[in-house]
Amino acid sequence: MSACFLQVPMAASIPSTSHSIKNRNLRSVCSCIGSRSSSSAKIPMPPVNPNDPFLSKLASVAATSPETLFNRPVNSDTPPYLDIFDSPTLMASPAQVERSVQYNEHNPTSPPPDLPSLLLHGRIVYIGMPLVPAVTELVIAELMYLQWMDPKAPVYMYVNSTGTTRDDGESVGMEAEGFAIYDAMMQLKNEVHTVGVGAAIGHACLLLSAGSKGNRSMMPHSKAMIQQPRVPSSGLMPASDVLIRAKEAVTNRDTLIKLLAKHTENSEETIRTAMRRPFYMDGTRAKEFGVIDKILWRGQESIIADVGAPEEWDKKAGIKSVDGF
């Protein structure tokens, strides 16, 4: 048995001068394999897909005339084993893609989608972090995607952000992050309905006020605040670099004042005066200042509708109005 198997590497390594030597070596190998298979268990072979013409053809050639596979041409322009076809094809049919089922939370058959995707499906863009580059990238991408999906349907932007600073005033992002989202909002064909939830500070307050007129609102207990841009930490920078950053902060402050004056319909001097120190606004004050148009309060419409006219109140109270006074 061992002598029989030694003929395989010899036939593979020593170049034969005629087909008779190759056939003799091939017959000896096949006879050895046959004798081994009769004396031992059959070696398991992987199943062949019957729908794949390439593998089926290859298996049939190996079963009927294995010398075709052993006597491969040394130099050939045809890829390996494709020359046994008249018209070689690599795929029997196009790939079949299984259509995914819609997610049902009551009878889940697949992992649930991520929360931003669910909100995006409802045309909701939620800004719930400071305006760092990763947040800006996501928000602008969502705005462009919603415009592409439907350029007429409104986009609902919920703002709960400290802008380009943390709550303690430390800078976390460049002022350009807020301006980038603002410019994207201005370029949209859609109306942008803004809702302030929690806090809208600095550039986030600008985004809140930049919504479509009549569709800027705040929750009853949310806050808005405008303040001057902060100079990032200078660290070990030279004095000249600190001066350059300070000039850039002044430029950003002037730009922020102009934009806030435009959307709140206040004068630039009024905005500049209010921004000298942090200027906090609740819903009522923000509405008076022009940052929003209305305060969202569930049920307020039905309560106001139930209120009678002033004349009815006077009549029930026994008060008569006299003309001329």
Side-chain angles (χ1 to χ4, degrees):
M1 181 69 69
S2 59
C4 185
F5 278 102
L6 288 175
Q7 295 179 9
V8 177
M10 291 174 62
S13 58
I14 302 176
S16 58
T17 56
S18 65
H19 289 287
S20 59
I21 300 178
K22 290 184 180 179
N23 294 335
R24 191 184 317 116
N25 293 334
L26 180 63
R27 283 194 295 270
S28 60
V29 171
C30 293
S31 61
C32 291
I33 294 176
S35 61
R36 185 186 179 189
S37 61
S38 61
S39 60
S40 60
K42 187 178 180 181
I43 300 175
M45 297 294 293
V48 177
N49 183 7
N51 297 325
D52 193 319
F54 179 78
L55 294 180
S56 302
K57 179 72 173 178
L58 205 60
S60 63
V61 169
T64 55
S65 53
E67 64 275 359
T68 309
L69 303 179
F70 278 95
N71 301 329
R72 306 305 306 157
V74 180
N75 297 320
S76 174
D77 296 333
T78 308
Y81 302 107
L82 286 183
D83 54 346
I84 61 176
F85 288 87
D86 296 332
S87 305
T89 54
L90 291 179
M91 292 186 64
S93 59
Q96 300 295 322
V97 180
E98 183 181 357
R99 188 174 183 178
S100 60
V101 226
Q102 186 176 6
Y103 179 74
N104 183 359
E105 64 273 11
H106 302 294
N107 185 21
T109 56
S110 61
D114 57 292
L115 187 57
S117 299
L118 290 176
L119 294 177
L120 197 63
H121 182 69
R123 303 189 65 81
I124 295 174
V125 176
Y126 178 56
I127 305 177
M129 296 179 63
L131 302 181
V132 295
V135 174
T136 305
E137 177 186 6
L138 177 62
V139 171
I140 294 178
E142 289 179 338
L143 292 176
M144 292 190 296
Y145 174 76
L146 291 176
Q147 178 184 240
W148 176 78
M149 287 293 294
D150 190 343
K152 296 182 179 179
V155 176
Y156 303 92
M157 178 181 288
Y158 287 73
V159 181
N160 180 22
S161 172
T162 58
T164 56
T165 62
R166 292 202 307 255
D167 52 357
D168 59 356
E170 182 68 24
S171 295
V172 294
M174 295 181 62
E175 306 297 324
E177 306 299 335
F179 292 139
I181 298 178
Y182 171 82
D183 289 339
M185 292 173 61
M186 295 298 103
Q187 294 297 322
L188 285 186
K189 300 176 182 177
N190 312 70
E191 285 189 348
V192 181
H193 297 194
T194 55
V195 181
V197 291
I201 297 176
H203 276 73
C205 185
L206 170 65
L207 301 181
L208 177 62
S209 67
S212 303
K213 288 290 184 180
N215 297 295
R216 305 171 303 169
S217 53
M218 285 175 63
M219 294 294 183
H221 301 100
S222 56
K223 297 286 184 181
M225 189 263 276
I226 55 176
Q227 62 181 354
Q228 297 188 43
R230 306 298 179 92
V231 180
S233 177
S234 57
L236 301 177
M237 288 191 303
S240 57
D241 292 0
V242 175
L243 180 61
I244 292 173
R245 291 207 174 195
K247 289 181 179 179
E248 181 63 19
V250 172
T251 303
N252 292 332
R253 181 201 62 187
D254 295 341
T255 304
L256 185 61
I257 289 175
K258 290 180 181 179
L259 297 178
L260 283 172
K262 170 186 174 182
H263 292 287
T264 60
E265 297 181 353
N266 289 307
S267 64
E268 292 187 14
E269 187 58 36
T270 302
I271 303 295
R272 190 182 301 273
T273 303
M275 283 179 57
R276 287 178 181 173
R277 303 299 298 169
F279 184 67
Y280 285 90
M281 297 170 279
D282 58 4
T284 305
R285 197 171 186 181
K287 184 178 179 181
E288 294 172 354
F289 199 75
V291 175
I292 61 170
D293 304 303
K294 54 189 174 182
I295 303 172
L296 295 182
W297 178 28
R298 181 180 293 276
Q300 65 176 349
E301 294 83 2
S302 59
I303 294 175
I304 294 176
D306 293 339
V307 175
E311 293 78 11
E312 294 183 13
W313 283 88
D314 293 344
K315 184 178 180 180
K316 292 178 181 179
I319 301 174
K320 297 181 179 180
S321 60
V322 182
D323 296 334
F325 285 91

